[in-house]
Amino acid sequence: MLRSGKKEEETLIEMSAATDDDISVLTEIRTPDTEGEDLSGPLYEINSNAESEPPCNSEGLSSTESSFLITNHQRIDKHHQSKDSVFFRDGVRRIDFVLSYLDEPQMEKKAERRKQFELNLQKAGLELETEDKKESENGKIYFVKIHAPWEVLSTYAEVLNIKVPIKENDLDDKAGNPLNYVLKLFRLPDKVMNPEPDYFTAPFSKQRQELFLIHDENTFFSPATRNRIVYYILSRCPYGTSEDKRKFGLKRLLSNGTYNAAFPLHDCQYWKKSPEEKCDNERYTLYSHWARFGKFYKEQPLDLIRKYYGEKIGIYFAWLGFYTEMLFYAAVVGFLCFLYGLVTMDNSNSSKEICDKDIGGQIIMCPLCDQRCEFWRLNSTCEPSQYSHLFDNVATLFFAIFMGIWVTLFLEFWKRRQARLEYEWDLVDFEEEQQQLQLRPEYEAKCTQKKKNPVTQEIELVIKRSPANICGKIFLCWMTIVFWITLIIASMIAVIVYRLAVYAAFASVMENNDTLEPISGLLTPQLATSVTASCLNFIMIMILNFLYERVAIWITDMEIPRTHLEYENRLTMKMFLFQFVNYYSSCFYVAFFKGKFVGFPGEYTYMFSRWRNEECDPAGCLIELTTQLTIVMAGKQIWGNIQEALVPWMMNWWRRRKTTHSPENLYSRWEQDYDMQVFGPLGLFYEYLEMVIQFGFITLFVASFPLAPLLALLNNILEIRVDSWKLTTQFRRPFAAKAHSIGVWQEILNAVAILSVVTNAFIVAFTSDMIPRLVYYYAYSESGDSGYISSSLSVFDISDFNNISMPLENIMNVTFCRYRDYRYPPDHEKRYLHTMQFWHILAAKMAFIIIMEHVVFLVKFFVAWLIPDVPSEVKARVKREKYLTQKILHEYELYKLKQKLSERDHCIAVTKEIIATEGKVQLSAAM
């Protein structure tokens, strides 16, 4: 199909490397109607000496990339248009990117950089239009609008291997889902869900343009693709040299203040459509059907998200939506397990024994702290023991096994969903997008040497690094990381010391306090200490996160990673490792260390020889782990939503309040976007990190809190709308980028899934009381489950107390007290040594861990093997598309060959006819 709107005037710039250091620029004017005209004006002057750098060319670019067209600039009259327009003044050329800078008369160096940079952009074929500061709302800001003409777009579409429509999809969709009528409430209109027809696609080629379905050059490439191409050029365009080092790239100009902002434009206001007829109003559609909180029950328009924001953002929302869907099943099962615990709470024999006045009321427990704590009756922990049964029951074991299988199903089904998206979004043959694998400008700026790539046999830029320099940087980076992780551990130890020091104070205040008597049954010293310590720990987590975020970025920048993908992967591993320790260390302490190394009365274990280690409640430490997990997880989610939604809104409101006196028709589209917040290159990184940390909470410790998936589900339903709302209404439009997967986060999720099986097995075995109860029931009990509490408490003679541990007062005249352990009584020949029941329980715990891990892992691996990563219909469609592409290309080449042969045969026939005619003429003349 022939493309329409062929431009008549084009200037071809072919850049080829003459030597390693010298580059010549050959200029050829192809102007059919203007041969002989003098095109020596400033727009056409191109320095071609050996010392100059090619416009926007970095060493190592392909030959296709280093050959592109400059469109002839023409003077166009101003076109009356709305200030909300996304077009140049002529109303025809779309604004693909905007640069802004402040008027600084004394900064001549910055002005020179801008002048050189913009001149090189024009040489690269981009068209610029500058809005004077007098036109801006505050009279201080210049806006440089950038338009990429067809020739530039088509050249870089080939360079970036962008796939475009080649033929309409001729494969029939599968039969409709029988539940479609039921799910109609959750569906969006088809025009929103499928903004474009389904096509077979192929990588764009300038030499084969007639193969592609190009109906209109102005709309053939989507705005997201256009701004991705322009950003690619901007990130490599030079603006000068200094000390034999090339200076290039928009990022450096932004960092040194030459420009203060660079962004693609939103296409309209989010709350109303644009008056421009040619505007697609995709932002308004996204807000109306996706970014409103009232649409929380609706599906996401992933194709429209991808079209407007690019594949990288699109695949994040696809993953978040799929994760939320799968959480629904985990939340339902977890809620049913919680209901089971609630229904059977009154039937728990352990709670009954603790609450019974004749059993728990007669058991005198040893003091929980030295000197200041008194002896206490077991039935004072009646209500906490009842609530502990909500999470410590048979259903807990079932739910831990279920979540081990659920994690596998989630990851395997996501692979299938991801494979489907890869096909639908033309990412099947996409090895890592060029925008990710290309050299980072920061890396190129440091390059001082050239080296031949053994694979591509092309000359590449490399940094000269000595072994000592490399080792020094690695040592410094990892020592910094170790230091901060040590700081986290130190903060956790500080919280533990707080718990140990404050518990005695709580105990002395809360005991024998008549004002606290109404809540004394629920609010025990243990619970009060746990709650306050959890809140303190959460505050320290937030502070350390704030500090380490900047440290991690500084370390990664210092390493100078070669590619964007390498940069993100390194930063991801550092941040996740830190936050893993930061968020989960307190939960690991409560789950696996608290109450495990206490010792026994008369020989307690002390931290730093001063503070006595904490003991678990007689009902177990599981309720404290639940409290810790709830506070940290819920607090993180609440704080995250406030930070993501409220902070950008407040900052935008503060910036917009200065412009409220301006009428809307004087407040241009680029000024409105300029006043919004910036969605930086690491914006998605923080979104993924937040969700992966949440994923760890609901998998690593889910055996202690079956309601965790329900909390995560409710948060994620809100999270989707918060993220979409802030992206659509509060942030500038991000740079579009491609991504075929969630990247390194997939490996992190797999690692967390494997670790979760181990942690949950240990929680059930060592934190829960399930195994000790089962051992007692089957090996020691003669009357069912009754008598377990008494058998789990050992006897201690208070005369064996040392002076440090002995309470100052003995109001109840106690001679013997009980403590939580399995030790022989003081009158036994093995006094205070562990009994055989202790070793039987320990053996049962280890056996349970081994059996549970093996069973869950076997099921996980079997399910992973059973479910293919790529659906069969997707494989068929991929094969069909490859076959069709090869067929079309083959037929195209065959057609071209036949055309050449027919032209050749025609020329031969004409030549023969001419020769024959000439022969006849000569023969006639001779006769």
Side-chain angles (χ1 to χ4, degrees):
M1 181 179 297
L2 295 177
R3 58 188 180 88
S4 60
K6 177 74 176 177
K7 292 179 176 59
E8 294 183 353
E9 298 187 10
E10 297 173 343
T11 304
L12 176 65
I13 294 182
E14 298 177 349
M15 294 181 294
S16 58
T19 64
D20 290 344
D21 298 317
D22 300 330
I23 299 177
S24 61
V25 180
L26 306 177
T27 306
E28 179 186 353
I29 308 298
R30 296 192 178 184
T31 315
D33 300 331
T34 60
E35 285 191 12
E37 290 185 1
D38 180 16
L39 297 179
S40 59
L43 292 177
Y44 298 92
E45 292 180 1
I46 303 174
N47 188 359
S48 59
N49 58 57
E51 296 180 357
S52 66
E53 291 290 344
C56 300
N57 186 42
S58 62
E59 300 179 34
L61 295 181
S62 64
S63 58
T64 307
E65 181 177 356
S66 54
S67 173
F68 52 88
L69 291 169
I70 292 183
T71 304
N72 188 9
H73 293 257
Q74 299 177 351
R75 183 177 297 278
I76 301 176
D77 295 335
K78 289 187 178 181
H79 176 76
H80 179 71
Q81 59 186 169
S82 168
K83 277 284 187 176
D84 201 41
S85 175
V86 292
F87 295 91
F88 275 19
R89 295 191 188 100
D90 58 9
V92 176
R93 293 173 293 173
R94 176 183 290 274
I95 302 173
D96 297 312
F97 225 87
V98 173
L99 307 177
S100 68
Y101 60 91
L102 293 171
D103 181 22
E104 298 174 311
Q106 298 178 352
M107 296 296 180
E108 297 180 358
K109 191 173 182 180
K110 293 182 180 180
E112 182 61 29
R113 288 181 194 147
R114 283 193 295 267
K115 180 180 178 182
Q116 187 63 38
F117 185 70
E118 292 171 13
L119 178 61
N120 287 334
L121 290 179
Q122 290 178 342
K123 290 178 181 179
L126 298 178
E127 299 176 1
L128 309 181
E129 186 177 78
T130 303
E131 288 288 331
D132 192 83
K133 64 179 182 179
K134 297 177 182 178
E135 300 290 333
S136 65
E137 193 277 334
N138 59 7
K140 297 179 181 179
I141 304 175
Y142 288 91
F143 291 95
V144 180
K145 299 174 288 184
I146 301 175
H147 168 76
W150 168 259
E151 298 301 343
V152 173
L153 293 173
S154 59
T155 298
Y156 281 92
E158 186 172 3
V159 169
L160 296 176
N161 202 33
I162 294 173
K163 289 188 174 183
V164 293
I166 193 171
K167 186 181 184 298
E168 290 189 12
N169 194 334
D170 59 354
L171 294 179
D172 295 332
D173 293 331
K174 283 193 167 184
N177 189 339
L179 298 177
N180 277 342
Y181 182 79
V182 179
L183 300 176
K184 188 176 180 180
L185 175 66
F186 306 100
R187 302 293 186 195
L188 289 174
D190 187 65
K191 64 180 181 180
V192 177
M193 289 299 298
N194 303 292
E196 295 178 331
D198 192 11
Y199 293 106
F200 287 127
T201 59
F204 185 80
S205 173
K206 287 185 67 175
Q207 287 72 30
R208 303 187 181 105
Q209 293 187 33
E210 57 267 27
L211 286 177
F212 305 103
L213 302 180
I214 306 176
H215 302 294
D216 185 358
E217 290 180 356
N218 294 323
T219 59
F220 180 66
F221 293 108
S222 68
T225 302
R226 296 173 69 102
N227 85 60
R228 182 159 62 94
I229 291 174
V230 173
Y231 182 67
Y232 181 86
I233 299 173
L234 292 173
S235 65
R236 324 196 94 58
C237 187
Y239 59 86
T241 57
S242 175
E243 299 178 358
D244 299 329
K245 292 183 179 179
R246 295 181 306 117
K247 294 184 176 182
F248 63 92
L250 177 62
K251 187 172 181 179
R252 295 185 68 182
L253 292 174
L254 290 171
S255 63
N256 61 33
T258 303
Y259 293 100
N260 63 354
F263 50 92
L265 290 179
H266 284 293
D267 61 355
C268 66
Q269 300 279 10
Y270 68 85
W271 66 85
K272 68 176 183 179
K273 293 185 177 181
S274 172
E276 295 282 341
E277 295 181 358
K278 294 182 291 184
C279 184
D280 295 329
N281 295 296
E282 292 175 348
R283 185 190 187 193
Y284 171 78
T285 304
L286 285 171
Y287 175 73
S288 302
H289 297 279
W290 177 53
R292 299 174 65 181
F293 296 96
K295 302 289 184 179
F296 72 92
Y297 59 93
K298 293 287 188 180
E299 61 185 336
Q300 297 187 85
L302 295 177
D303 288 340
L304 186 58
I305 298 170
R306 172 243 182 172
K307 181 184 176 184
Y308 191 73
Y309 290 114
E311 287 80 1
K312 191 172 184 179
I313 291 179
I315 206 163
Y316 162 73
F317 281 103
W319 175 82
L320 180 58
F322 182 80
Y323 172 46
T324 304
E325 291 175 16
M326 292 296 292
L327 274 177
F328 173 77
Y329 305 105
V332 170
V333 176
F335 185 70
L336 292 177
C337 292
F338 174 77
L339 286 181
Y340 172 82
L342 185 63
V343 171
T344 60
M345 185 168 63
D346 295 334
N347 299 327
S348 171
N349 287 329
S350 299
S351 299
K352 288 180 179 179
E353 291 181 8
I354 292 176
C355 297
D356 194 329
K357 294 182 179 180
D358 296 330
I359 302 176
Q362 300 301 318
I363 297 178
I364 307 299
M365 302 295 296
C366 296
L368 294 175
C369 66
D370 294 338
Q371 294 184 345
R372 298 174 63 182
C373 294
E374 301 177 1
F375 297 99
W376 53 285
R377 297 185 184 276
L378 181 60
N379 64 348
S380 64
T381 61
C382 174
E383 293 185 21
S385 67
Q386 291 177 331
Y387 290 120
S388 178
H389 180 75
L390 290 174
F391 310 106
D392 190 3
N393 52 66
V394 178
T396 301
L397 173 61
F398 165 76
F399 191 58
I401 297 174
F402 169 81
M403 286 302 294
I405 300 172
W406 174 88
V407 168
T408 304
L409 292 174
F410 162 63
L411 295 175
E412 292 302 317
F413 281 127
W414 165 245
K415 291 178 184 177
R416 291 171 62 85
R417 176 66 173 139
Q418 188 170 260
R420 194 181 300 276
L421 287 175
E422 285 183 17
Y423 167 74
E424 293 175 354
W425 291 357
D426 303 321
L427 302 169
V428 173
D429 296 327
F430 166 83
E431 303 219 344
E432 295 299 346
E433 213 269 326
Q434 302 235 357
Q435 192 172 347
Q436 293 292 324
L437 286 181
Q438 70 187 22
L439 297 181
R440 295 173 63 239
E442 295 84 356
Y443 177 87
E444 289 184 278
K446 299 286 185 179
C447 291
T448 56
Q449 290 185 339
K450 297 177 183 179
K451 182 181 178 181
K452 181 181 286 188
N453 189 311
V455 178
T456 63
Q457 294 298 308
E458 293 182 358
I459 301 298
E460 293 183 348
L461 295 168
V462 295
I463 297 178
K464 184 179 180 180
R465 290 174 172 170
S466 64
N469 187 22
I470 295 174
C471 293
K473 283 192 174 182
I474 292 176
F475 178 78
L476 177 61
C477 293
W478 282 104
M479 285 304 297
T480 306
I481 294 172
V482 170
F483 167 76
W484 279 90
I485 291 179
T486 306
L487 185 62
I488 297 172
I489 297 175
S491 68
M492 185 191 70
I493 293 175
V495 173
I496 295 174
V497 170
Y498 166 84
R499 300 169 71 110
L500 300 178
V502 169
Y503 176 79
F506 275 120
S508 61
V509 170
M510 299 177 72
E511 289 179 0
N512 303 321
N513 192 328
D514 297 335
T515 58
L516 296 177
E517 186 175 356
I519 59 172
S520 60
L522 178 62
L523 186 63
T524 61
Q526 295 99 320
L527 184 60
T529 304
S530 181
V531 171
T532 55
S534 299
C535 293
L536 178 63
N537 182 64
F538 175 72
I539 294 172
M540 296 182 70
I541 286 172
M542 293 296 102
I543 295 174
L544 289 172
N545 273 349
F546 176 79
L547 297 175
Y548 186 76
E549 175 186 323
R550 285 145 182 79
V551 174
I553 293 175
W554 172 74
I555 294 174
T556 309
D557 288 339
M558 187 176 63
E559 293 174 351
I560 318 176
R562 188 170 182 270
T563 65
H564 293 280
L565 184 63
E566 187 179 349
Y567 181 89
E568 288 191 9
N569 289 348
R570 290 189 183 187
L571 182 61
T572 298
M573 295 308 298
K574 291 181 182 67
M575 285 295 294
F576 177 75
L577 178 63
F578 171 82
Q579 294 214 3
F580 182 91
V581 178
N582 198 20
Y583 278 108
Y584 303 145
S585 57
S586 58
C587 294
F588 272 105
Y589 164 73
V590 176
F592 306 125
F593 295 98
K594 182 179 178 181
K596 307 298 187 297
F597 308 100
V598 177
F600 65 94
E603 196 174 330
Y604 285 120
T605 305
Y606 289 82
M607 177 179 286
F608 305 128
S609 302
R610 180 175 180 181
W611 292 285
R612 185 173 129 189
N613 286 350
E614 286 185 285
E615 295 185 43
C616 286
D617 189 271
C621 274
L622 198 68
I623 189 67
E624 292 190 42
L625 177 59
T626 302
T627 304
Q628 177 79 23
L629 183 65
T630 304
I631 291 176
V632 176
M633 180 179 174
K636 181 183 183 301
Q637 292 178 350
I638 294 171
W639 175 252
N641 287 326
I642 292 174
Q643 199 173 24
E644 291 182 13
L646 187 60
V647 173
W649 180 83
M650 290 292 293
M651 295 182 71
N652 285 339
W653 171 81
W654 181 257
R655 296 180 67 175
R656 283 196 301 264
R657 63 191 297 269
K658 301 178 182 179
T659 62
T660 52
H661 62 276
S662 300
E664 184 181 335
N665 59 355
L666 296 179
Y667 196 36
S668 62
R669 168 85 268 127
W670 42 90
E671 289 180 284
Q672 295 174 49
D673 286 8
Y674 175 80
D675 285 339
M676 301 175 78
Q677 296 300 300
V678 179
F679 191 80
L682 296 178
L684 281 184
F685 167 81
Y686 296 112
E687 301 296 342
Y688 275 119
L689 183 61
E690 178 186 4
M691 288 296 103
V692 171
I693 293 297
Q694 181 203 83
F695 180 80
F697 278 123
I698 69 167
T699 54
L700 295 174
F701 309 102
V702 74
S704 66
F705 190 36
L707 291 180
L710 179 61
L711 291 181
L713 173 65
L714 297 176
N715 173 79
N716 287 7
I717 292 174
L718 182 63
E719 180 77 18
I720 292 175
R721 305 304 159 179
V722 168
D723 288 347
S724 58
W725 175 80
K726 73 178 184 182
L727 201 62
T728 307
T729 66
Q730 303 302 313
F731 283 88
R732 296 173 188 165
R733 189 173 183 174
F735 308 146
K738 288 185 107 176
H740 74 297
S741 67
I742 61 175
V744 70
W745 298 109
Q746 183 79 32
E747 302 303 323
I748 292 176
L749 292 174
N750 289 331
V752 172
I754 293 173
L755 182 61
S756 67
V757 177
V758 180
T759 56
N760 282 300
F762 272 87
I763 288 174
V764 173
F766 286 97
T767 309
S768 167
D769 269 3
M770 183 179 303
I771 303 300
R773 282 199 301 264
L774 291 176
V775 171
Y776 174 79
Y777 179 80
Y778 288 106
Y780 294 92
S781 174
E782 298 179 357
S783 57
D785 197 18
S786 59
Y788 164 71
I789 291 297
S790 180
S791 72
S792 66
L793 298 175
S794 300
V795 180
F796 181 76
D797 187 347
I798 66 170
S799 62
D800 294 329
F801 269 127
N802 54 39
N803 295 331
I804 299 176
S805 302
M806 184 65 185
L808 296 177
E809 298 181 0
N810 188 0
I811 301 176
M812 292 187 287
N813 297 320
V814 178
T815 56
F816 293 94
C817 63
R818 309 289 292 271
Y819 61 97
R820 183 182 172 85
D821 206 342
Y822 296 93
R823 295 179 182 270
Y824 288 109
D827 57 351
H828 197 277
E829 60 180 3
K830 297 181 179 180
R831 59 187 311 216
Y832 302 139
L833 295 179
H834 284 120
T835 64
M836 287 303 300
Q837 186 175 357
F838 170 83
W839 299 110
H840 290 161
I841 291 174
L842 181 61
K845 288 179 177 180
M846 300 306 298
F848 169 80
I849 291 173
I850 294 173
I851 293 173
M852 178 179 172
E853 286 182 356
H854 281 71
V855 169
V856 175
F857 277 132
L858 285 175
V859 174
K860 281 169 63 69
F861 293 140
F862 175 74
V863 170
W865 171 81
L866 188 65
I867 302 175
D869 292 345
V870 182
S872 57
E873 67 271 15
V874 172
K875 291 182 180 179
R877 287 172 177 265
V878 171
K879 292 180 180 178
R880 168 66 177 165
E881 183 167 334
K882 289 183 177 180
Y883 165 77
L884 183 65
T885 302
Q886 293 175 355
K887 181 180 178 182
I888 292 176
L889 292 176
H890 174 73
E891 291 178 351
Y892 173 78
E893 296 295 339
L894 188 62
Y895 167 76
K896 286 292 186 182
L897 180 60
K898 288 180 178 180
Q899 191 177 36
K900 290 181 180 179
L901 291 176
S902 63
E903 291 176 357
R904 178 185 173 188
D905 293 342
H906 178 69
C907 291
I908 293 174
V910 171
T911 302
K912 288 181 178 179
E913 185 176 352
I914 293 174
I915 293 173
T917 303
E918 291 178 350
K920 290 179 181 180
V921 171
Q922 292 175 0
L923 180 61
S924 175
M927 293 176 63

